[in-house]
Amino acid sequence: MTGDSNVNFTVLHRTCKLVVLLCLLHISVTLVFYLRSFDIRLAFVQNQQSHKPKDLTTSKILKDVELTEQDSVQPRKVSGVVDVANVSEEIKILGNCPETSPLLVGPLRIEFSTPVNLDMVRNENPNVKTGGRFKPSNCIALQKVAIIIPFRNREEHLKFWLYYLHPILQRQQLDYGVYVINQDDNEVFNRAKLLNVGYAEALKEYDYGCFIFSDVDLIPMDDRNTYKCFSQPRHLSVSMDKFGFRLPYNQYFGGVSSMSKEQYLKINGFPNNYWGWGGEDDDIYNRLNIKGMSISRPSGPIGKCRMIRHERDAKNDPNPQRFDRIAHTRDTMQVDGINSLSYKVVRVEKEQLYTKISVDLGKPSQ
Ligand code: UDH
Ligand code: NGS
């Protein structure tokens, strides 16, 4: 009897120890998982709409080799003598930016209910220099990108664009400049000609190799949709909210697109004689197609974007000639484009967040 109860007690004692050990194990595993998920949640919260791109401040080591916004990596002159030692040091320390920026955060929350205050945008983007210029301070950007925005009387839209795009473009580690090309005449709006002007004017300022052509009312919903150039011309605004997040038709090339200098010149730039709404983007698509290029696009989810809702603008009614014009791209593209561009610059304004170039586009030829 006593022997049996001793045995029972020992078994009970061991079972209890085992249960206590299992509980401890369970608690530690739960704790580890909790702490890890806390980390992830914290990172998510930081990433969501952080308009201060992380890690864009100049690190200690880079203070010595910081470049001004106009510099490329060029020999620095010390009392008239090129300081070769410092040059190679700069190149060694800086190095190229990675193919995919480590600063990207993915999907973004984009909404237009609260108006934007530009003072706040300026304060939140201290590294954007006069004229809307930026380049990463800790690596050499892979592309020099001019962003061209056709514009007339859309100040509120421009504020949203600057508010959302500057942080995104900085996280994308681009060497970029923002050019708002303002049609400052009384004629009907001409989107494609303004884009040509933007190309020509941006090149007068810097050795850009890549051009982004963006409507002022389109905001990407994912910063992995990089505003750069690819081996083929790229259509970036592939899933717009207004089209139910899909392409309206396969050849659609409107909204936001990118082209390298070479690709742009191959098609003689854009048509200058689409006055009023519609068709100019189809003409550009035809030009690319005629020259044997294909369209590169991000995936649907990464290419999502929101359009700021608006009514039709004055002086931008649908162009009745557009169908006839897009039927003749093959004949017209040799003579109508960057090689026939003429306009007058009325004013150049260097704002903190963008360069505004006001132009007189002249009159429609017929
Ligand atoms: N744009 C201006 N000012 C204008 C006209 C056009 O800045 O007066 C620019 C702007 O960058 C705009 C782009 O040209 O994003 C394209 O013009 P759009 O926005 O008028 O073209 P979209 O096809 O809209 O987006 C057409 C009018 C739809 C009216 C719908 C009414 N419910
Ligand atoms: C096509 C237009 C394009 C325009 C697209 C989307 O019909 O210029 O609709 O327009 N082509 C012609 O008219 C020939 S949207 O719905 O964004 O207003 O970009």
Side-chain angles (χ1 to χ4, degrees), residues 22-23 62 67 87 97 99 125 191 209 218 232-233 249 251 304 346 361:
L22 280 172
C23 282
L62 292 169
L67 303 176
V87 172
C97 296
E99 194 58 48
N125 295 278
R191 178 176 178 269
L218 282 171
Q232 293 296 321
Y249 52 97
Q251 297 80 3
K304 282 171 86 170
V346 176
L361 293 185

Side-chain angles (χ1 to χ4, degrees), residues 19-77:
V19 168
V20 169
L21 278 173
L22 280 172
C23 282
L24 280 175
L25 188 70
H26 181 78
I27 289 169
S28 353
V29 170
T30 312
L31 202 66
V32 166
F33 274 96
Y34 175 75
L35 288 176
R36 281 182 58 183
S37 77
F38 185 72
D39 264 6
I40 291 168
R41 267 180 286 147
L42 198 69
F44 179 74
V45 170
Q46 280 171 348
N47 286 343
Q48 280 294 309
Q49 296 304 296
S50 162
H51 286 281
K52 288 203 191 329
K54 46 180 176 163
D55 201 19
L56 282 177
T57 48
T58 314
S59 69
K60 194 168 172 290
I61 188 170
L62 292 169
K63 280 243 163 68
D64 302 336
V65 294
E66 199 177 355
L67 303 176
T68 67
E69 89 271 16
Q70 301 296 341
D71 287 337
S72 48
V73 181
Q74 283 191 354
R76 185 159 51 201
K77 281 192 178 167

Side-chain angles (χ1 to χ4, degrees), residues 149-154 157 181 189 191 194 214-218 240 242-243 252 255 277-278 280 307-316:
I149 301 177
F151 186 85
R152 179 153 74 185
N153 198 22
R154 294 274 195 104
H157 293 185
I181 314 300
F189 195 70
R191 178 176 178 269
L194 288 169
S214 173
D215 283 359
V216 73
D217 52 12
L218 282 171
M240 285 187 203
K242 77 162 171 178
F243 297 132
Y252 178 58
W277 181 87
E280 83 296 341
M307 195 195 83
I308 308 170
R309 298 277 163 177
H310 61 90
E311 292 305 317
R312 192 175 291 287
D313 303 88
K315 299 215 166 220
N316 198 23

